Amino acid sequence: MTSESPPSYIIVGAGVFGTSTALHLITQFPDASVTLIDRNSPDAESRVAASWDWNKVIRADYRDILYCRLALEAQDVWRSDPLWSPFYHETGIYWISRTQFAQEVVDNYAKLGRSTDELYTLPVEEARHLYGGIFDEADYTGVKNVLVNKTSGWADAKGALRAVTEKAIELGVKFVTAEIASLEFADDGTCVGVRTADGEKYTATHTILSTGAFTPRFLDGVAESTGRNDFLAGGRIIAAGVTTGLAQLDEETAKVFEQMPVGIQENPPERGASNGSLPLTEDKKLKWWGQTIFKNTQTLPSGRQISAPPASTDYAQWSIPDSLIKDVEFANRVTFGKRGESWSIKEHRICWDAFTPTDDFIISPHPASKGLYIATCGTFHGFKFFPILGQYVIRMLDGTLEPELQTRWAWDKEVREVLTNHNFWPTKELKDLL
């Protein structure tokens, strides 16, 4: 990376994309000026980032061999690096799939030269007896085989995010807690930094937006203030939400679930996206996520209609409609059947993330302004790549990103029409679920 002045970096958004980028930049360029800005402090009790969560699935089980390769690369770091490994738990994963997904995953591992010894499929009647039979009452309608991958698992999401942020700060990253109001531009249109809601200006040669679900709304404001619609996210990105919930297990029940893997139901299209459950947290809580992914279309001051999280500072993430509480209860029912009927699922949260029509990330220069870059769009599968995202952002910045990734993660690639069988794409509106 060369420029007339020493390179400097502002990263807006301290989720996995932003924090990973900050860590890799300060590690690779220890004398660089790296500023990470987020509306929430690193030690806040509650944050709006999609990555701020009790736990997240860590897996490389992908049909798409590109993401399978990247996830395997990230898993190697989760396992071996002392910064990451304390938060990773390789419990395995139990996939209830109604498609050929299982065999595709096995084939991808083989193509990538990875061992498939601990990755296999089993007929339902055999699989339901695994793990002490905890999945024996799951919904297996239309399922022939179950995929078991003993090399997958989960991570303590909040713990990892805090630890990596602290490491980045220790190495020299400046963390600023502030709300970003606008971008700053030079006379020639180059992006030279940001301005906060309280009027503070921060400048850098590189401004990277890792703003997740807030991205379309923020860029709408930029377009409005500059009079340039080429800043708009358009159909590239949509803000979407999904609901999670926790149940506190008693000591006796918790013992039964001590060796539980991640459990995932790959739903038929008419039901929605996958739902599932994660193993016990340290305080013996079981987590589920629902299958309904929804948007929140609203009319912004510009007059444009855009899906964005609720306007409240916490995204109203703790205000859960009854229909979405039932959505999580349904996930419990199809995973554990009668076994889970007595559990009281509480501590619900709506997690907001940025979606793309192709499920790809966007890691790309923004063509509307030199010096402006986008690194976001986890599409509810980005967390597992946390350890390596930053190194790919750096490759994007210095022009060494491999051609296939440049194409897949480009801002200006053709936005293909969302297919009717894309069961992940949000179609329901939050207002209709209230």
Side-chain angles (χ1 to χ4, degrees), residues 94 96 98 124 128 135-143 146 265:
Y94 185 94
I96 299 174
R98 291 162 174 80
V124 169
R128 68 199 311 162
F135 299 116
D136 59 345
E137 295 184 11
D139 179 9
Y140 293 100
T141 305
V143 178
V146 170
Q265 279 260 0

Side-chain angles (χ1 to χ4, degrees), residues 113-419:
R114 294 289 185 133
S115 171
T116 59
D117 291 347
E118 295 185 284
L119 173 69
Y120 49 87
T121 62
L122 291 173
V124 169
E125 286 308 310
E126 186 176 346
R128 68 199 311 162
H129 298 295
L130 295 177
Y131 301 105
I134 60 172
F135 299 116
D136 59 345
E137 295 184 11
D139 179 9
Y140 293 100
T141 305
V143 178
K144 294 182 179 179
N145 294 293
V146 170
L147 171 67
V148 176
N149 186 349
K150 292 186 176 180
T151 67
S152 292
W154 62 279
D156 168 4
K158 286 189 286 188
L161 186 59
R162 283 175 175 155
V164 176
T165 304
E166 289 170 2
K167 185 63 175 180
I169 294 170
E170 175 191 321
L171 293 174
V173 170
K174 179 181 180 181
F175 193 102
V176 176
T177 303
E179 187 80 36
I180 297 300
S182 62
L183 297 177
E184 291 288 307
F185 299 97
D187 291 341
D188 64 357
T190 298
C191 181
V192 294
V194 300
R195 187 177 295 273
T196 67
D198 58 8
E200 289 291 324
K201 182 179 176 181
Y202 296 88
T203 60
T205 59
H206 301 72
T207 299
I208 304 162
L209 299 183
S210 296
T211 38
F214 184 62
T215 307
R217 186 185 193 112
F218 179 72
L219 289 175
D220 180 81
V222 174
E224 186 69 2
S225 64
T226 61
R228 292 179 53 191
N229 288 347
D230 51 344
F231 280 103
L232 292 169
R236 298 174 183 84
I237 308 171
I238 186 172
V242 70
T243 312
T244 61
L246 290 172
Q248 178 71 63
L249 300 192
D250 58 48
E251 291 287 340
E252 184 178 353
T253 306
K255 289 179 181 178
V256 177
F257 286 81
E258 282 180 344
Q259 304 303 315
M260 173 187 165
V262 175
I264 298 181
Q265 279 260 0
E266 187 188 39
N267 288 317
E270 64 274 10
R271 183 185 288 178
S274 67
N275 58 40
S277 184
L278 283 109
L280 297 180
T281 58
E282 284 188 2
D283 51 356
K284 297 179 175 55
K285 292 179 180 179
L286 201 58
K287 175 188 167 185
W288 292 262
W289 69 92
Q291 59 279 322
T292 301
I293 299 177
F294 47 90
K295 54 188 175 178
N296 186 40
T297 304
Q298 50 197 281
T299 302
L300 300 186
S302 65
R304 284 180 281 265
Q305 288 198 317
I306 289 176
S307 178
S312 58
T313 56
D314 71 345
Y315 288 178
Q317 61 183 322
W318 307 108
S319 300
I320 316 299
D322 287 345
S323 61
L324 293 177
I325 290 175
K326 291 178 181 177
D327 195 55
V328 176
E329 290 173 349
F330 180 80
N332 174 28
R333 192 160 58 250
V334 298
T335 305
F336 297 113
K338 293 181 180 179
R339 187 187 298 274
E341 286 181 351
S342 63
W343 298 336
S344 178
I345 303 176
K346 299 180 179 178
E347 296 185 65
H348 295 87
R349 175 185 182 237
I350 292 177
C351 176
W352 291 95
D353 203 357
F355 255 64
T356 64
T358 59
D359 299 336
D360 287 312
F361 309 147
I362 296 180
I363 299 178
S364 169
H366 195 306
S369 179
K370 181 181 177 182
L372 180 63
Y373 305 86
I374 307 294
T376 193
C377 296
T379 315
F380 293 127
H381 74 114
F383 183 89
K384 62 183 70 67
F385 303 96
F386 190 6
I388 65 169
L389 285 170
Q391 70 189 46
Y392 285 95
V393 175
I394 291 176
R395 292 176 194 176
M396 178 272 293
L397 293 173
D398 64 19
T400 62
L401 194 62
E402 63 187 83
E404 182 179 9
L405 293 178
Q406 287 185 38
T407 301
R408 293 285 295 269
W409 295 344
W411 174 267
D412 57 359
K413 72 178 179 183
E414 182 179 350
V415 179
R416 74 185 186 198
E417 185 177 342
V418 179
L419 301 177

Side-chain angles (χ1 to χ4, degrees), residues 271 292-296 425-430 432-433:
R271 183 185 288 178
T292 301
I293 299 177
F294 47 90
K295 54 188 175 178
N296 186 40
W425 188 252
T427 57
K428 295 182 179 180
E429 291 281 356
L430 177 59
D432 297 327
L433 299 170

